[in-house]
Amino acid sequence: MAAGAPGPVDSGDRKGGPRTALGGLTTRGRSFLAAGVAAALCAYVLGQSDLLRVGLLLAVLPLVCVTVLYRTRYRVAGSRRLSPSRVPAGSEARVHLRTDNVSRLPTGLLMLQDRVPYVLGPRPRFVLNRVEAGGSREVSYRVRSDLRGRYPLGPLQLRLSDPFGMCELSRSFSAYDTLVVVPRTEPLPPLRLAGAASGYGDGRLRSLALAGEDDIIPRGYRHGDDLRRVHWRSTARYGELMVRREEQPQRARCTVLLDSRRVAYQGAGPDSAFEWAVSGAASALTHMLERGFAVRLLTDDGGVVPGGSADGFATPTQDSADSAGLMMDALAVVGHSTGGGLSRAYDVLRQGTEGLLVAFFGDLDEEQAEVAARMRQRSGAAVAFVLDSADWARGDAAKTPAPAAGRLRTLREAGWTAVAVEPGTSLADVWRQAGEAHSGALPGATTGFSGGWS
């Protein structure tokens, strides 16, 4: 949930003076004023006193409405709440607006209008007949976007009108909120590949601490630790409760690499190859976090989305929703990079420890295919989903051309499990296909799945 609570708006604000108030005359008010002036002129020319009275009445009525509305001090507070504040592309979010009359006078006719980007739908407008002193009103509307991104909502505009509809005064609240539209994600099937270590399904490997009483590595006492694990010798040495660290959890790691190079993709829009790659990266991140992996997001320019550790990995031991949300927010606004190569991503990978590497590549030339192949040397396992953006731009799957087939062969010879992604293919299908490709590998082939993935 996200909320915006701007301060009260005063209808009696003198900013702009009477000229601003006269500028708030509606078409009806201007018509009455013009008719009154015309009737008064005709009465003067014709010498008709009765017509003069009618003209004065028509001209004075809108002016009285302007004066009353301008001098009446309504104090109205408004707030906005998003439910939810982060939605997948193509899903709806509901925006709740609340108006509170914090003055001692009941309001007249109120019109609410919220500013929203055109991609979220039409601009919502609401009419509130009357809000009693100390009362409140709530309205809501829905927004939806097929395009990921961050979209500002607001500021909320309030229009006050007199009972006769002669004058309207507009006021704006200062606060606004942001709706984050993240990429679509697909549920992925759990796969247990040949050679997977036992217990790898939860993404954890355990290693015993140093054997022997003298070799035990103690740590500080935490609330909930078993008192039977208190290490009294270390407690006396450090002056605080210390417990035995009998085993150290060592969580399996996964790096999701997104190739965002502009030269690697053709076309644009929700059904383009690049959007599929972004959605695939989001699905893989979510799936691996749910399976218990420590996950990080890496782009071709070497950028790592900050996680919960110094090297950018987010672990489910933290709040997994926050960890996933941070990376989803980054994917919501990721665009094409201007770089032409994958060397920066390779530099980041070669400095890290081994782990599962899941990559989403666009078009690869011979040079970049060689760089991608070298990434496998630092990874315990490597899976590549390769998109031919020309096929995606045409919208049909053609026979894989010889250059593209050569790039796939280069990756596979380096130990990658490389899968070509045809236009319109779901990630769940190619995810399963990658598992089958690894299971069908020849005995003794270097596939790199020493730890497996799921």
Side-chain angles (χ1 to χ4, degrees), residues 255-393:
T255 297
V256 177
L257 172 61
L258 174 63
D259 178 11
S260 62
R261 296 172 298 135
R262 185 178 300 277
V263 297
Y265 298 95
Q266 300 179 23
D271 298 326
S272 64
F274 180 64
E275 291 301 322
W276 189 97
V278 174
S279 178
S283 301
L285 287 168
T286 304
H287 177 75
M288 302 311 289
L289 273 174
E290 291 175 351
R291 304 300 294 180
F293 283 72
V295 183
R296 69 175 174 179
L297 172 64
L298 176 65
T299 56
D300 58 284
D301 58 3
V304 178
V305 176
S309 60
D311 48 6
F313 283 92
T315 64
T317 55
Q318 311 157 11
D319 189 339
S320 58
D322 291 343
S323 302
L326 188 63
M327 290 181 282
M328 286 296 183
D329 288 348
L331 288 175
V333 296
V334 68
H336 288 294
S337 67
T338 57
L342 301 170
S343 57
R344 292 184 179 179
Y346 171 70
D347 291 339
V348 174
L349 289 172
R350 70 179 182 178
Q351 296 173 4
T353 58
E354 293 188 356
L356 176 62
L357 174 60
V358 181
F360 295 84
F361 292 121
D363 296 332
L364 294 173
D365 56 24
E366 184 176 355
E367 179 183 357
Q368 299 310 314
E370 292 293 338
V371 176
R374 291 198 300 270
M375 293 179 183
R376 167 63 185 82
Q377 298 175 4
R378 297 294 303 175
S379 175
V383 185
F385 300 100
V386 184
L387 293 84
D388 187 338
S389 63
D391 288 348
W392 282 77

Side-chain angles (χ1 to χ4, degrees), residues 9 24 26 69 74 76 97 99 107-114 124-131 137 139 155-173:
V9 168
T26 62
L69 187 62
Y74 299 136
V76 181
L97 302 177
T99 304
T107 68
L109 189 67
L110 299 180
M111 285 174 283
L112 297 179
Q113 178 176 280
D114 207 8
R125 295 181 175 88
F126 304 94
V127 177
L128 306 179
N129 291 328
R130 182 176 179 274
V131 182
R137 297 289 187 274
V139 293
L156 179 65
Q157 292 181 325
L158 177 67
R159 289 186 178 182
L160 303 108
S161 177
D162 66 279
F164 299 101
M166 299 288 180
C167 180
E168 290 181 357
L169 293 181
S170 299
R171 298 289 184 266
S172 294
F173 296 97

Side-chain angles (χ1 to χ4, degrees), residues 244-261:
R244 294 188 300 271
R245 182 157 46 184
E246 295 176 348
E247 57 180 20
Q248 299 174 346
Q250 196 173 42
R251 191 171 298 277
R253 293 184 168 189
C254 174
T255 297
V256 177
L257 172 61
L258 174 63
D259 178 11
S260 62
R261 296 172 298 135

Side-chain angles (χ1 to χ4, degrees), residues 220-241:
Y221 175 82
R222 299 171 186 169
H223 179 72
D225 284 339
D226 190 348
L227 292 177
R228 290 174 296 182
R229 295 175 55 194
V230 174
H231 191 245
W232 297 109
R233 183 179 302 175
S234 298
T235 298
R237 179 185 302 172
Y238 294 105
E240 60 176 332
L241 278 178

Side-chain angles (χ1 to χ4, degrees), residues 388 390-401 420-425:
D388 187 338
D391 288 348
W392 282 77
R394 290 193 303 266
D396 59 354
K399 182 179 179 180
T400 304
V421 182
E422 298 179 352
T425 306

